Amino acid sequence: MSTANGDFEIQPHQACEQDECHEHECEGHETAAIGCGGAATMESEQEFYDSLPDGHMIRTFMDEHATIRKSLDALEAIANKLKKNPEDRDALLLEMSQLGGQLVKAEPHHQREEEVLFPVLSQRGLAGPPSVMAHEHIEIRRLKHILADKPSLHMGDDGLPVKPIVDAALVLVSTLRQHIDKENRILYPMSMQVIREERDWSQLKERADEIGYM
Ligand SMILES: [Fe+2]
Ligand SMILES: [Fe+2]
């Protein structure tokens, strides 16, 4: 379910209108499914992760998210240091550029979501949330490329302001963190409700393998 600002809602658990939310009973009901999958805490995210079999496509997505989150933490620290006009500006710009490059290399992650997972969710009647996520990928990609390409152009020239780069980095950190939270806590749990057959997941994983990993 999309909101006016392009986000999709985390419905409270009560959205299921049941005393206790049973995932089977929510099948096909998009709002309720978001509620069931949308327990927005790190603890429930960990519980969901632990419930996934080793090698499951969704588990791999979440492992990759953990790696991306570490890069975002590092990127945020560098951006905050650069804000203060430090003497080691060029070294920080180089680090930022390298982190931008690492994030660009995460492209197969987004590609697998867009080309393998999202279409199946849409085919099965869950079109809104994947569409919001795919739309966010566009802005995330744009910002990643700025960070991979621009910092090196500012190295060796203290006259060039780094503020636009710092701003882009901090927007990327915030946008991508929120994006990951929504996928881990809402979209992926919903996916497990919508796609129930192990055989279906095996077929999806084969297609994911063809795209490759970050
Ligand atoms: Fe995504
Ligand atoms: Fe993702």
Side-chain angles (χ1 to χ4, degrees), residues 77-170:
I78 292 168
N80 284 328
K81 279 188 200 166
L82 265 175
K83 255 189 191 174
K84 297 170 189 160
N85 275 331
E87 284 178 10
D88 53 352
R89 177 185 131 127
D90 279 2
L92 291 169
L93 283 167
L94 179 61
E95 264 188 83
M96 185 176 266
S97 165
Q98 288 166 341
L99 278 168
Q102 274 179 30
L103 288 166
V104 167
K105 283 185 188 158
E107 178 54 26
H109 172 95
H110 305 304
Q111 199 184 341
R112 268 180 275 122
E113 288 176 337
E114 287 174 13
E115 295 180 18
V116 180
L117 180 62
F118 295 173
V120 181
L121 297 179
S122 296
Q123 282 161 16
R124 298 191 182 194
L126 193 70
S131 155
V132 172
M133 294 293 93
H135 190 73
E136 288 184 6
H137 285 177
I138 296 170
E139 177 64 359
I140 288 166
R141 280 192 184 105
R142 188 184 75 82
L143 291 165
K144 281 183 189 177
H145 281 282
I146 287 175
L147 293 179
D149 301 338
K150 297 273 186 212
S152 56
L153 301 176
H154 286 64
M155 287 167 64
D157 186 349
D158 291 350
L160 284 174
V162 292
K163 186 174 182 307
I165 296 175
V166 167
D167 289 347
L170 293 175

Side-chain angles (χ1 to χ4, degrees), residues 3 24 46 48 62 68 71 80 85 104 111 122 126 133 138 146 176 181 186-187 194 210 213:
T3 62
H24 290 256
Q46 185 62 45
F48 171 65
M62 292 181 79
I68 294 170
S71 296
N80 284 328
N85 275 331
V104 167
Q111 199 184 341
S122 296
L126 193 70
M133 294 293 93
I138 296 170
I146 287 175
L176 191 43
D181 287 350
I186 305 175
L187 191 78
V194 169
E210 286 168 16
Y213 295 86

Side-chain angles (χ1 to χ4, degrees), residues 61 65 68 109-110 113 137 179-180 183-184 188:
F61 277 139
H65 280 174
I68 294 170
H109 172 95
H110 305 304
E113 288 176 337
H137 285 177
H179 182 85
I180 286 173
E183 289 184 340
N184 280 7
Y188 294 163

